[in-house]
Amino acid sequence: MTDLLARARAWAAEDPDPETRAELTALIAAGGSAELADRFDGTLEFGTAGLRGALGAGPNRMNRAVVIRAAAGLAAYLGPGGSVVVGYDARHKSADFARDTAAVMTGAGLRAYLLPRPLPTPVLAFAIRELGVAAGVMVTASHNPPQDNGYKVYLGDGSQIVPPADAEIAARIAAVGPLASVPLAEKGWEVLGEDVLAAYLERATGVLAPGSPRELATVYTPLHGVGLETLTAAFARAGFPAPVPVAEQAAPDPDFPTVAFPNPEEPGAMDLAFKTARDTAPDLVIANDPDADRCAVAVPDPDADAGWRMLRGDELGALLAAHLVGRGAAEPGQDVFAASIVSSSLLSKIAARAGLGYEDTLTGFKWIARVPGLRYGYEEALGYCVDPAGVRDKDGVTAALLVAEMAAQARQEGRTLADELDGLARVHGLHATDQLSVRVDDLAVITAAMARLRAHPPTELAGLTVTSAEDLREGAGGLPPTDGLRYHLAGEGVSAVRVVVRPSGTEPKVKCYLEVVLPPTADLAPARARAAALLAALKPALAEAAGL
């Protein structure tokens, strides 16, 4: 306890933020040993997702001291003479963290550019290549809860860092001495003007085909994030009618007051959007997550409780791919489609039928964006890269534009996106996906679940035989090693069943990704019912096998 208090007092003495310094001083005075121990039990790990964690004082939290050290480590990795562009969202402390990063970079002899205000992550990813800088930093925690913030690092190719760069930067961060030894410039960085956003918008609207239909009514929610201004400007520039915003969620608000979690996939997050849609009867509902790198879409469905049905990420991923193929926007024999190993296998079949290359990658756009010859990539967690030459990351704004074009074209032809999905199922078979996601308070639960599955791999799940079990730590299928397990199952009348289990890289969750593939059929209703029943049965069977 004496050592803990000494470390806490030393941290407080050099903390540059009066708020966190006062918070830590109060904890020391109150003798809050458990809370102090949590804050000082190690440090936030810098990895391929950069940094992400709860705000607060101490090395195991997101705060100005941690960010200054991270920026100093990154600056040391890059070396003087280069340049860095820094963006930020509207979360608590995001602007402070961004300015501190610019000050550290300038003090280290790099040229620093700061985006003019809180803007979507894809604008930052675009700016890296547009400005020709050596690296980019985005201060965001994406769709995490309000108490979190994060620090995402890109290198000069516009892609997020991957090994070994993450470990090399982490080593540089660990080597940073006392905070007072880090030079912090008081000025010298450049705050960019509106031209960087204008250039992004010009590039974004270029994803659309000239003269394509633009008649479409939409409702849009940024979920209290930074997407509204950029998305509505993109829609206006493209010639689409202005989306009707969800008024209660339109303005950036770091407390995210109307949602439990600011993620369109979470239960209840879309309730206000559906209410607005019932009042205005649009063709589509579109949502971004708070930093607008993800895109969610809902379609009218009279059988759904809210009158609207959220498309699964895999459904939208397949629709966008088919739309690009149908438009002739992908070159057979040259262009490549890609998806992560937790996404539906349907994309590989769309690519094969169109004569396009296809690659599986590990989870995350840091891997998808690096696929040679990439024309389009997606993963099931609502991330879509429809213009890799402009933004080598998921981009919720360009994805929304392409969805709107696709839906407007279908509308002009008297069809719906649901009809388009039916067409894909009749050609390629029904690909139904779902997810079992278990949030935990103790990370040891995740470790135990993965260990149990490795020690006692299931031989059957929900009446289906497990025909193969792969430990992805061993680099299965030529992929880099990762903490995950993949099972292939077989059953009568089923084309394929796949299960992937992995710890979340950004949240305290175990995630289990399920896919059931049934043969092509003209009668889709019973096929959908059977696939839904199989997916529903797999969830408890898998939870039992993992001890969750």
Side-chain angles (χ1 to χ4, degrees):
M1 181 63 179
T2 302
D3 176 62
L4 175 61
L5 287 173
R7 286 188 288 132
R9 290 189 181 104
W11 185 277
E14 68 170 11
D15 192 334
D17 188 332
E19 289 184 25
T20 48
R21 188 166 61 246
E23 172 190 316
L24 188 52
T25 302
L27 281 172
I28 293 169
S33 57
E35 180 66 17
L36 282 176
D38 183 48
R39 290 164 183 256
F40 284 84
D41 184 18
T43 62
L44 283 184
E45 287 191 18
F46 185 92
T48 53
L51 294 168
R52 193 174 293 188
L55 292 160
N60 204 23
R61 295 287 188 274
M62 282 295 297
N63 51 65
R64 289 184 61 200
V66 164
V67 165
I68 289 170
R69 288 180 180 278
L74 176 60
Y77 172 81
L78 296 171
S83 52
V84 177
V85 59
V86 184
Y88 57 104
D89 65 10
R91 283 179 177 265
H92 292 296
K93 298 289 183 180
S94 283
D96 294 338
F97 296 165
R99 281 192 295 270
D100 282 337
T101 299
V104 170
M105 295 298 166
T106 304
L110 289 100
R111 185 169 185 179
Y113 302 96
L114 195 62
L115 292 189
R117 61 182 178 282
L119 286 168
T121 292
V123 177
L124 180 279
F126 166 81
I128 294 168
R129 304 187 73 196
E130 176 75 1
L131 299 172
V133 297
V137 172
M138 183 67 193
V139 180
T140 180
S142 190
H143 57 280
N144 275 39
Q147 65 268 23
D148 289 0
N149 212 329
Y151 198 81
K152 185 182 292 188
V153 177
Y154 300 75
L155 293 182
D157 65 352
S159 300
Q160 297 176 49
I161 55 170
V162 295
D166 57 342
E168 292 168 1
I169 295 169
R172 297 284 192 162
I173 294 170
V176 174
L179 217 57
S181 69
V182 178
L184 279 173
E186 295 185 3
K187 58 182 180 179
W189 57 87
E190 180 181 344
V191 178
L192 296 169
E194 294 303 307
D195 52 336
V196 68
L197 180 59
Y200 168 79
L201 291 169
E202 181 178 358
R203 177 80 200 195
T205 53
V207 305
L208 304 175
S212 62
R214 306 291 159 96
E215 289 303 314
L216 191 77
T218 55
V219 160
Y220 170 71
T221 176
L223 289 181
H224 301 293
V226 296
L228 180 65
E229 180 186 351
T230 302
L231 184 133
T232 53
F235 269 52
R237 183 180 287 244
F240 286 107
V244 174
V246 177
E248 301 92 333
Q249 298 172 334
D253 188 331
D255 293 319
F256 306 106
T258 68
V259 294
F261 291 94
N263 179 350
E265 294 179 294
E266 292 284 347
M270 296 294 291
D271 288 354
L272 286 171
F274 294 157
K275 178 180 180 298
T276 304
R278 287 193 294 272
D279 294 340
T280 58
D283 299 299
L284 283 185
V285 173
I286 298 174
N288 288 137
D289 65 340
D291 68 327
D293 64 350
R294 289 172 170 83
C295 179
V297 172
V299 296
D301 184 348
D303 296 328
D305 291 342
W308 288 82
R309 181 177 80 84
M310 288 283 290
L311 294 182
R312 299 195 65 84
D314 285 315
E315 291 178 313
L316 188 54
L319 285 171
L320 288 170
H323 181 62
L324 289 170
V325 168
R327 243 183 52 187
E331 192 70 31
Q334 298 182 32
D335 289 339
V336 177
F337 283 1
S340 62
I341 57 172
V342 300
S343 304
S344 172
S345 60
L346 177 54
L347 184 64
S348 65
K349 297 173 184 175
I350 293 171
R353 186 178 177 87
L356 304 171
Y358 174 79
E359 280 200 30
D360 277 323
T361 75
L362 293 183
T363 307
F365 270 83
K366 58 185 176 283
W367 300 108
I368 293 172
R370 284 182 160 75
V371 169
L374 182 69
R375 175 60 186 88
Y376 166 72
Y378 95 93
E379 66 179 1
E380 56 76 42
L382 307 179
Y384 312 95
C385 178
V386 303
D387 178 25
V391 175
R392 286 194 180 176
D393 198 4
K394 52 188 176 291
D395 183 344
V397 177
T398 51
L401 286 169
L402 203 62
V403 169
E405 177 185 66
M406 174 172 57
Q409 180 176 316
R411 181 179 185 268
Q412 188 179 72
E413 297 169 357
R415 296 167 58 80
T416 67
L417 295 188
D419 294 330
E420 302 298 324
L421 285 170
D422 287 350
L424 289 174
R426 292 188 179 103
V427 172
H428 301 287
L430 179 66
H431 291 65
T433 59
D434 205 347
Q435 186 182 129
L436 171 66
S437 182
V438 181
R439 184 179 293 271
V440 301
D441 295 323
D442 183 358
L443 293 178
V445 174
I446 298 176
T447 304
M450 298 301 291
R452 175 172 171 151
L453 287 171
R454 286 188 167 105
H456 307 286
T459 57
E460 69 88 29
L461 292 168
L464 300 169
T465 302
V466 177
T467 57
S468 71
E470 300 167 283
D471 190 339
L472 301 180
R473 288 191 308 191
E474 300 170 3
L479 295 168
T482 189
D483 188 7
L485 298 162
R486 180 166 58 187
Y487 306 104
H488 293 280
L489 298 87
E492 186 177 352
V494 177
S495 297
V497 176
R498 188 199 63 201
V499 174
V500 179
V501 184
R502 60 180 284 270
S504 170
T506 56
E507 298 177 272
K509 289 181 175 180
V510 178
K511 289 189 170 182
C512 309
Y513 305 84
L514 318 173
E515 180 178 40
V516 171
V517 183
L518 300 181
T521 176
D523 193 1
L524 289 171
R528 286 206 166 95
R530 185 174 184 214
L534 284 171
L535 290 169
L538 279 168
K539 289 183 184 181
L542 190 56
E544 181 180 356
L548 294 170

